[in-house]
Amino acid sequence: MAIKVNGTTVIDDSRNLINIASGAGATSTAGAVGAYAYCRDDSGSATTLGGSVSASSLYYLSNAYNGFYIDTSNTPSGTWRVMGYSSGNNRGTVLLRIS
Amino acid sequence: MMNEYRNIEYRNAKFVSPDNLQIDCEINHPEYGWIPYLLDPSDTDMTIDNTELKAAMDQNGDVAAFNQQEHDDKIARLVRFQRDNLLQIEVDPIVSNALRWADLTTEQQNAWSAYRTALLDITDQAGFPHSVTWPTKP
């Protein structure tokens, strides 16, 4: 039996979640909408808490004890929300993919 | 499964990869309004119908041309960022630590000095920024 909220099916007959608004933790798939990532923002302009940046300015990062490495073999797509602060030329900030 | 949005409006589209596959633009998102967006054919997330969005762009023919200089500048910043990090992560803990440095042989010190110089000079390489040869850590 499907489950509906305000007339919209949110769980179908096969027990799949559908039509769920995007949000934090909505996916465990790396890089997908709803996923968090730790990235360098190279946009050149500051983005404050909650602002949005295009993935074209982002690089995935990994931490070293006194610096960072960039993952150049994987690149993000879409739109990401800054969940901290980005100076536009920062070493790393946490982002959430929203689109 | 997330919502799958279709018939998305876009504006200010431009190619941002040399192969003209990635397109930077703004989209009028049903939840967030106009937001920046990178359309990437390799994106497996289907929240936005990238195929439909790309088809609309193709039909309208309004995607600005790829800017080689912007791309070169971006890659150069990336290489410098990588270089600066390697200096901080690998070189500084050795050469800035008097006790560790004193424990090295002259040959080892020369190797670290050469490595540091090669990193600093990476922007002088003929292939910079697109084809740089990273020196090998001693």
Side-chain angles (χ1 to χ4, degrees), chain A:
Chain A
M1 181 184 72
I3 295 178
K4 296 184 176 183
V5 174
N6 293 333
T8 301
T9 300
V10 292
I11 301 177
D12 65 17
D13 292 337
S14 300
R15 293 177 294 175
N16 295 315
L17 286 173
I18 56 173
N19 298 317
I20 301 297
S22 57
T27 182
S28 59
T29 303
V33 171
Y36 277 97
Y38 183 60
C39 297
R40 165 178 161 79
D41 173 22
D42 186 47
S43 63
S45 56
T47 305
T48 53
L49 181 70
S52 301
V53 295
S54 167
S56 63
S57 67
L58 300 178
Y59 301 95
Y60 290 121
L61 280 184
S62 69
N63 260 336
Y65 72 96
N66 57 348
F68 301 84
Y69 289 107
I70 284 181
D71 178 0
T72 54
S73 58
N74 297 289
T75 55
S77 304
T79 308
W80 293 73
R81 173 164 291 165
V82 174
M83 304 302 276
Y85 172 74
S86 171
S87 68
N89 186 26
N90 63 315
R91 286 189 162 182
T93 193
V94 176
L95 300 105
L96 171 69
R97 184 169 179 188
I98 61 169
S99 180

Side-chain angles (χ1 to χ4, degrees), chain B residues 34-55:
Chain B
W34 287 101
I35 54 173
Y37 184 78
L38 177 67
L39 192 162
D40 185 344
S42 66
D43 185 7
T44 55
D45 189 282
M46 293 304 293
T47 309
I48 300 294
D49 190 332
N50 283 335
T51 304
E52 182 186 75
L53 186 58
K54 177 65 165 55

Side-chain angles (χ1 to χ4, degrees), chain B:
Chain B
M1 181 184 294
M2 302 285 187
N3 291 325
E4 293 181 6
Y5 298 117
R6 306 197 63 180
N7 301 314
I8 295 289
E9 286 181 279
Y10 71 92
R11 66 188 182 192
N12 299 327
K14 65 176 179 180
F15 291 108
V16 290
S17 59
D19 53 13
N20 280 348
L21 290 177
Q22 292 185 332
I23 299 173
D24 218 11
C25 64
E26 294 173 70
I27 59 170
N28 193 4
H29 193 281
E31 290 181 52
Y32 308 118
W34 287 101
I35 54 173
Y37 184 78
L38 177 67
L39 192 162
D40 185 344
S42 66
D43 185 7
T44 55
D45 189 282
M46 293 304 293
T47 309
I48 300 294
D49 190 332
N50 283 335
T51 304
E52 182 186 75
L53 186 58
K54 177 65 165 55
M57 292 176 179
D58 289 342
Q59 185 173 11
N60 295 331
D62 56 358
V63 181
F66 170 69
N67 185 316
Q68 185 66 52
Q69 187 60 53
E70 281 183 8
H71 181 69
D72 291 350
D73 292 346
K74 179 180 178 181
I75 299 300
R77 286 196 302 273
L78 177 62
V79 172
R80 286 192 175 93
F81 181 76
Q82 295 269 51
R83 185 271 312 275
D84 293 347
N85 274 291
L86 289 175
L87 287 167
Q88 289 180 340
I89 294 167
E90 297 176 342
V91 179
D92 287 354
I94 303 292
V95 304
S96 301
N97 185 319
L99 294 176
R100 292 183 74 176
W101 186 251
D103 279 343
L104 300 178
T105 65
T106 301
E107 186 176 283
Q108 289 172 321
Q109 289 179 349
N110 289 340
W112 276 104
S113 294
Y115 179 59
R116 178 175 181 276
T117 301
L119 285 174
L120 289 170
D121 292 345
I122 208 155
T123 54
D124 295 335
Q125 291 187 19
F128 176 81
H130 295 285
S131 177
V132 295
T133 302
W134 292 96
T136 303
K137 186 174 73 169

